[in-house]
Short mmCIF file of all heavy atoms in Angstrom, two decimals:
data_model
loop_
_atom_site.label_atom_id
_atom_site.label_comp_id
_atom_site.label_asym_id
_atom_site.label_seq_id
_atom_site.Cartn_x
_atom_site.Cartn_y
_atom_site.Cartn_z
N ALA A 82 10.63 -85.63 32.95
CA ALA A 82 10.40 -84.27 33.43
C ALA A 82 10.82 -84.13 34.91
O ALA A 82 11.40 -83.09 35.29
CB ALA A 82 8.92 -83.90 33.27
N MET A 83 10.53 -85.13 35.69
CA MET A 83 10.94 -85.09 37.11
C MET A 83 12.48 -85.07 37.23
O MET A 83 13.01 -84.35 38.09
CB MET A 83 10.40 -86.30 37.86
CG MET A 83 8.91 -86.30 38.05
SD MET A 83 8.37 -87.80 38.92
CE MET A 83 6.61 -87.74 38.64
N LEU A 84 13.17 -85.82 36.39
CA LEU A 84 14.62 -85.82 36.42
C LEU A 84 15.15 -84.42 36.10
O LEU A 84 16.01 -83.91 36.81
CB LEU A 84 15.17 -86.85 35.43
CG LEU A 84 16.69 -86.92 35.31
CD1 LEU A 84 17.33 -87.34 36.61
CD2 LEU A 84 17.08 -87.90 34.19
N GLY A 85 14.62 -83.80 35.07
CA GLY A 85 15.06 -82.48 34.71
C GLY A 85 14.75 -81.45 35.81
O GLY A 85 15.58 -80.57 36.09
N GLN A 86 13.61 -81.60 36.45
CA GLN A 86 13.25 -80.69 37.53
C GLN A 86 14.17 -80.81 38.73
O GLN A 86 14.60 -79.83 39.34
CB GLN A 86 11.81 -80.92 37.95
CG GLN A 86 11.26 -79.90 38.95
CD GLN A 86 9.77 -80.10 39.22
OE1 GLN A 86 9.08 -80.77 38.48
NE2 GLN A 86 9.31 -79.55 40.34
N ALA A 87 14.52 -82.08 39.08
CA ALA A 87 15.40 -82.30 40.20
C ALA A 87 16.81 -81.79 39.94
O ALA A 87 17.45 -81.17 40.78
CB ALA A 87 15.41 -83.80 40.55
N VAL A 88 17.29 -82.08 38.74
CA VAL A 88 18.62 -81.58 38.37
C VAL A 88 18.62 -80.05 38.40
O VAL A 88 19.58 -79.43 38.87
CB VAL A 88 19.05 -82.12 36.98
CG1 VAL A 88 20.32 -81.41 36.49
CG2 VAL A 88 19.28 -83.61 37.04
N GLY A 89 17.54 -79.44 37.90
CA GLY A 89 17.46 -77.98 37.90
C GLY A 89 17.48 -77.42 39.29
O GLY A 89 18.10 -76.34 39.52
N THR A 90 16.89 -78.12 40.26
CA THR A 90 16.91 -77.65 41.64
C THR A 90 18.35 -77.58 42.17
O THR A 90 18.75 -76.62 42.80
CB THR A 90 16.07 -78.58 42.54
OG1 THR A 90 14.69 -78.53 42.11
CG2 THR A 90 16.15 -78.18 44.00
N GLY A 91 19.13 -78.64 41.90
CA GLY A 91 20.51 -78.66 42.36
C GLY A 91 21.37 -77.62 41.66
O GLY A 91 22.19 -76.94 42.31
N LEU A 92 21.20 -77.44 40.35
CA LEU A 92 21.98 -76.47 39.63
C LEU A 92 21.64 -75.04 40.05
O LEU A 92 22.50 -74.16 40.10
CB LEU A 92 21.80 -76.64 38.13
CG LEU A 92 22.35 -77.94 37.53
CD1 LEU A 92 22.07 -78.00 36.03
CD2 LEU A 92 23.85 -78.04 37.79
N ALA A 93 20.37 -74.80 40.34
CA ALA A 93 19.96 -73.47 40.82
C ALA A 93 20.67 -73.13 42.11
O ALA A 93 21.17 -72.00 42.30
CB ALA A 93 18.46 -73.41 40.97
N ASP A 94 20.72 -74.09 43.02
CA ASP A 94 21.40 -73.87 44.28
C ASP A 94 22.89 -73.59 44.09
O ASP A 94 23.48 -72.70 44.70
CB ASP A 94 21.21 -75.09 45.19
CG ASP A 94 21.78 -74.86 46.58
OD1 ASP A 94 21.22 -74.04 47.33
OD2 ASP A 94 22.81 -75.48 46.89
N HIS A 95 23.48 -74.37 43.17
CA HIS A 95 24.91 -74.15 42.84
C HIS A 95 25.15 -72.76 42.33
O HIS A 95 26.09 -72.06 42.78
CB HIS A 95 25.34 -75.20 41.82
CG HIS A 95 26.70 -74.90 41.20
ND1 HIS A 95 27.85 -74.88 41.92
CD2 HIS A 95 27.02 -74.58 39.92
CE1 HIS A 95 28.88 -74.61 41.14
NE2 HIS A 95 28.38 -74.41 39.92
N TYR A 96 24.34 -72.30 41.38
CA TYR A 96 24.59 -71.00 40.77
C TYR A 96 24.18 -69.83 41.68
O TYR A 96 24.67 -68.71 41.51
CB TYR A 96 23.94 -70.91 39.40
CG TYR A 96 24.81 -71.57 38.36
CD1 TYR A 96 24.51 -72.82 37.83
CD2 TYR A 96 26.01 -70.96 37.96
CE1 TYR A 96 25.35 -73.41 36.90
CE2 TYR A 96 26.85 -71.56 37.03
CZ TYR A 96 26.52 -72.79 36.51
OH TYR A 96 27.37 -73.41 35.63
N GLN A 97 23.32 -70.09 42.62
CA GLN A 97 23.06 -69.06 43.64
C GLN A 97 24.33 -68.85 44.46
O GLN A 97 24.66 -67.71 44.80
CB GLN A 97 21.92 -69.48 44.54
CG GLN A 97 20.55 -69.32 43.87
CD GLN A 97 19.42 -69.99 44.64
OE1 GLN A 97 19.66 -70.69 45.62
NE2 GLN A 97 18.19 -69.81 44.16
N GLY A 98 25.05 -69.94 44.73
CA GLY A 98 26.33 -69.80 45.40
C GLY A 98 27.38 -69.10 44.56
O GLY A 98 28.11 -68.25 45.06
N VAL A 99 27.39 -69.42 43.26
CA VAL A 99 28.33 -68.74 42.37
C VAL A 99 28.02 -67.26 42.28
O VAL A 99 28.93 -66.41 42.34
CB VAL A 99 28.25 -69.38 40.95
CG1 VAL A 99 29.08 -68.58 39.96
CG2 VAL A 99 28.72 -70.83 40.99
N ALA A 100 26.75 -66.91 42.15
CA ALA A 100 26.36 -65.51 42.07
C ALA A 100 26.71 -64.73 43.33
O ALA A 100 26.99 -63.54 43.30
CB ALA A 100 24.86 -65.40 41.81
N ALA A 101 26.70 -65.45 44.47
CA ALA A 101 27.04 -64.82 45.73
C ALA A 101 28.52 -64.69 45.97
O ALA A 101 28.97 -64.16 46.99
CB ALA A 101 26.38 -65.57 46.90
N GLY A 102 29.32 -65.25 45.04
CA GLY A 102 30.76 -65.10 45.17
C GLY A 102 31.52 -66.36 45.46
O GLY A 102 32.73 -66.34 45.66
N GLY A 103 30.86 -67.48 45.49
CA GLY A 103 31.55 -68.75 45.74
C GLY A 103 30.69 -69.91 45.38
O GLY A 103 29.46 -69.79 45.33
N ALA A 104 31.29 -71.05 45.05
CA ALA A 104 30.53 -72.23 44.66
C ALA A 104 30.35 -73.15 45.88
O ALA A 104 31.23 -73.28 46.71
CB ALA A 104 31.28 -73.01 43.58
N LYS A 105 29.19 -73.80 45.94
CA LYS A 105 28.93 -74.73 47.02
C LYS A 105 29.61 -76.06 46.70
O LYS A 105 29.97 -76.35 45.57
CB LYS A 105 27.43 -74.92 47.21
CG LYS A 105 26.73 -73.69 47.78
CD LYS A 105 25.33 -74.05 48.24
CE LYS A 105 24.69 -72.85 48.92
NZ LYS A 105 23.37 -73.20 49.46
N CYS A 106 29.73 -76.91 47.75
CA CYS A 106 30.39 -78.19 47.56
C CYS A 106 29.43 -79.15 46.81
O CYS A 106 28.24 -79.02 46.83
CB CYS A 106 30.77 -78.79 48.90
SG CYS A 106 29.37 -79.09 49.98
N SER A 107 30.02 -80.14 46.17
CA SER A 107 29.23 -81.19 45.52
C SER A 107 29.62 -82.51 46.17
O SER A 107 29.03 -82.94 47.14
CB SER A 107 29.45 -81.21 44.01
OG SER A 107 30.82 -81.40 43.72
#
Side-chain angles (χ1 to χ4, degrees):
M83 291 180 194
L84 177 62
Q86 187 174 341
V88 170
T90 297
L92 293 179
D94 185 70
H95 167 64
Y96 278 105
Q97 285 167 354
V99 173
K105 292 192 174 184
C106 61
S107 58

